[in-house]
Amino acid sequence: MSGPGYSFAHAPTTTPSGLRQHSFYPYTDNGGSTLGIAGDTFTILAGDTRSTSGYNINSRHVPKLFRIGGDGPENKNSTIVLSVCGFAADGNALKERLDTIVK
């Protein structure tokens, strides 16, 4: 990806008439990886904590695994875990909505 680290889908192009055409795409893929392994009596979930935009690192401390339900703001005793990757704002909105519904 060349150019700025924000959400322009394509570099400006030149039309046959000589005009430059710009496009804007408001969503960005903040990347991330999560992994889930399940057995008969266990489940292991892991996720990285890096948030990126293109080749830029926005933060190294953004979780991708969230507890849903449970008690209090830290969701103690929750039995549901949500794993999200991609556009961070959508993942955050999904987490908040599911947590509200479950509680």
Side-chain angles (χ1 to χ4, degrees):
M1 177 180 155
S2 63
Y6 43 85
S7 304
F8 286 101
H10 305 287
T13 57
T14 304
T15 63
S17 64
L19 299 174
R20 292 187 77 190
Q21 182 177 4
H22 296 270
S23 62
F24 176 71
Y25 185 68
Y27 302 105
T28 185
D29 182 1
N30 297 117
S33 299
T34 60
L35 171 70
I37 301 172
D40 291 338
T41 59
F42 69 92
T43 302
I44 299 172
L45 291 172
D48 71 335
T49 58
R50 185 176 288 184
S51 174
T52 62
S53 179
Y55 290 108
N56 299 323
I57 298 172
N58 301 328
S59 175
R60 297 180 193 274
H61 307 288
V62 178
K64 301 209 176 40
L65 299 173
F66 303 99
R67 293 178 176 202
I68 303 297
D71 304 322
E74 280 90 40
N75 296 330
K76 301 282 186 194
N77 303 320
S78 64
T79 58
I80 301 171
V81 177
L82 174 67
S83 166
V84 295
C85 290
F87 185 50
D90 282 346
N92 222 9
L94 178 63
K95 173 194 69 130
E96 294 295 326
R97 185 173 187 129
L98 290 175
D99 194 46
T100 301
I101 291 169
V102 170
K103 285 183 177 182

